[in-house]
Amino acid sequence: MTDPKLDAAGRLSIARWIASPNANERPEGLGPDLLVIHNISLPPGQFGGPWIEQLFLNQLDPSADPFFASIAGLQVSAHLLIRRDGELLQFVELGRRAWHAGRSSFRGRPECNDYSIGIELEGADDVAFSDAQYERLAEATQLIRARYPAITRDRITGHEQIAPGRKTDPGPAFDWQRYLNSLPD
């Protein structure tokens, strides 16, 4: 029996659905077996506003902020975004490939986008994440792991671990112990 919070298409009913064009099918025979935690804020260090959604929808106006000119034209997405207040947004069905990891490798296996699910937390490396975000992250993780049991605790990682030297998120402000303790074994 499937959980009513996660439908057959891989959409979470607890999330607001916004389809990103920045996704495609996974390679034949590959399903998710890795969960990658990220953080994002646009402009950097600022929260709220429509900018992250616009980035994931290829609608970011490069003239709206000086930083945006440097990322104009990027085609990126994540499966899920958790806002500071705990709101959950979904951009890509879990069974499809979102473009969140870039050049990456997990335990010597390249191209993490092919086999991972990406969750973005609205935040920054050095800013504490909210209680609402940790609660929503734990809830989403449990639903994901119920559908994809190959995503064990040791297959949950940060962007910084799969793209060292290139990425630093979710950063030192992310409390891994708190997050992992909130998950059932």
Side-chain angles (χ1 to χ4, degrees):
M1 183 169 174
T2 60
D3 190 311
K5 292 181 182 173
L6 179 56
D7 72 16
R11 291 188 192 175
L12 294 163
S13 66
I14 59 173
R16 180 165 52 102
W17 172 250
I18 308 168
S20 173
N22 303 327
N24 57 0
E25 298 307 315
R26 295 182 190 275
E28 184 71 31
L30 276 185
D33 64 12
L34 180 68
L35 182 61
V36 180
I37 309 300
H38 303 261
N39 80 49
I40 187 170
S41 58
L42 288 177
Q46 296 181 33
F47 309 129
W51 313 118
I52 299 169
E53 289 175 44
Q54 289 178 5
L55 175 67
F56 289 169
L57 299 175
N58 301 332
Q59 298 172 353
L60 189 63
D61 178 359
S63 67
D65 184 272
F67 176 76
F68 296 168
S70 70
I71 60 173
L74 282 182
Q75 292 185 328
V76 296
S77 62
H79 292 90
L80 303 171
L81 167 66
I82 303 174
R83 294 277 192 184
R84 303 293 294 175
D85 64 1
E87 180 188 15
L88 182 65
L89 290 76
Q90 184 169 4
F91 295 90
V92 178
E93 291 97 345
L94 299 180
R96 298 189 74 219
R97 178 172 44 197
W99 303 345
H100 62 95
R103 292 288 165 241
S104 53
S105 175
F106 182 75
R107 298 181 182 159
R109 185 178 171 197
E111 304 302 332
C112 294
N113 284 338
D114 289 349
Y115 55 93
S116 67
I117 292 173
I119 301 178
E120 294 275 3
L121 299 172
E122 184 178 31
D125 290 5
D126 57 353
V127 177
F129 295 89
S130 71
D131 291 340
Q133 286 179 297
Y134 283 108
E135 290 165 15
R136 185 64 78 182
L137 179 59
E139 179 182 18
T141 300
Q142 289 174 37
L143 291 169
I144 290 166
R145 290 179 67 206
R147 170 70 57 89
Y148 301 105
I151 300 176
T152 56
R153 286 165 92 73
D154 68 330
R155 296 191 62 78
I156 299 173
T157 192
H159 200 188
E160 62 196 347
Q161 281 84 38
I162 63 168
R166 188 173 69 82
K167 294 296 180 176
T168 59
D169 59 307
F174 183 71
D175 188 341
W176 280 103
Q177 193 68 37
R178 175 182 179 175
Y179 167 52
L180 294 173
N181 285 346
S182 70
L183 303 177
D185 290 331

